[in-house]
Amino acid sequence: MMATTHAFAGLVLAALLAPLAPQFAVVVAVAAILGGIFPDLDLVGAHRRTLHFPVYYWLVATPASVVAVAVPTAATVGLAVFLLAAALHSLSDYLGGGLEPKSWQATSERAVYSHYHDRWLEPRRWVRYDGAPEDLALAAVLALPALVVFEGTIRTTVVALLAVSIGYALIRKPLASAGEWLLERAPDHVVSAVPDRFLAMIDEEHDGRID
Ligand SMILES: [Zn+2]
């Protein structure tokens, strides 16, 4: 799923909480967006492993939520929502596609790494790949509550994230092909800095030869 889809999923939670505690409306919205996107910052490293914790985020988010309810401040509420959005993101990656750059080919058995289980969870592929039509449709539906509840800068941000989602969905497949084309022609020192999962794509399609 796209990082923006995860942000919108977090915003559903924020849209539910904001009417209950209007004084924290902006805090919960910002925390939901940041927490929804945060795990994907490991994109450049061990993606869906370094910052993805499908089990452990919940173990931290639950007491953080209790604290936020008991002592509601901007910091406690923001932290709880951030952790809940990150937890939701990590768990829902399990329902998406595999880790391969061309996820629609469904060749990878790695959806997200569970540190608790000490293994990769297999992709369920309810959403076949990030930027898939069903991913964009899901993003649009999940964005609706935030568009209704929030206004001003938050609503503008949601609209901007939706625009980014549409643009990404449109270029997702050409982008993967362009990346492949570039990698095949990149100098060795560039290729050596690229994460292995991208190189696997070239290895598979070109019999292990990287010129
Ligand atoms: Zn992710």
Side-chain angles (χ1 to χ4, degrees):
M1 278 168 243
M2 297 181 285
T4 47
T5 307
H6 293 301
F8 294 139
L11 277 169
V12 171
L13 174 67
L16 292 171
L17 292 173
L20 301 175
Q23 71 274 32
F24 296 125
V26 173
V27 170
V28 295
V30 171
I33 294 171
L34 295 180
I37 290 173
F38 177 74
D40 277 348
L41 295 182
D42 66 14
L43 196 63
V44 292
H47 184 39
R48 298 208 198 138
R49 179 166 181 161
T50 306
L51 296 177
H52 286 66
F53 301 95
V55 176
Y56 288 143
Y57 273 132
W58 295 105
L59 299 184
V60 186
T62 302
S65 302
V66 172
V67 171
V69 170
V71 190
T73 68
T76 57
V77 171
L79 180 65
V81 171
F82 177 92
L83 290 169
L84 286 169
L88 195 58
H89 173 146
S90 301
L91 190 61
S92 55
D93 270 344
Y94 170 53
L95 304 177
L99 204 54
E100 68 277 53
K102 293 183 174 180
S103 309
W104 51 90
Q105 294 176 337
T107 53
S108 172
E109 289 310 311
R110 296 180 170 189
V112 62
Y113 192 83
S114 171
H115 297 78
Y116 173 77
H117 296 93
D118 197 24
R119 65 176 172 85
W120 288 91
L121 303 180
E122 289 184 16
R124 305 304 298 260
R125 298 197 169 92
W126 292 4
V127 171
R128 292 167 300 149
Y129 60 93
D130 56 298
E134 65 269 27
D135 191 6
L136 183 59
L138 179 63
V141 169
L142 292 175
L144 285 176
L147 288 173
V148 171
V149 169
F150 297 107
E151 47 195 35
T153 308
I154 299 298
R155 181 183 288 169
T156 305
T157 304
V158 173
V159 172
L161 290 173
L162 263 179
V164 169
S165 307
I166 293 168
Y168 182 79
L170 285 174
I171 64 165
R172 174 63 174 93
K173 287 192 170 180
L175 194 67
S177 298
E180 187 183 5
W181 187 90
L182 278 173
L183 271 178
E184 284 171 355
R185 287 154 182 80
D188 286 348
H189 68 276
V190 173
V191 173
S192 63
V194 172
D196 288 347
R197 65 198 170 84
F198 290 108
L199 301 179
M201 171 173 67
I202 295 178
D203 288 347
E204 281 165 19
E205 298 193 0
H206 296 274
D207 201 23
R209 179 173 51 83
I210 300 172
D211 299 325

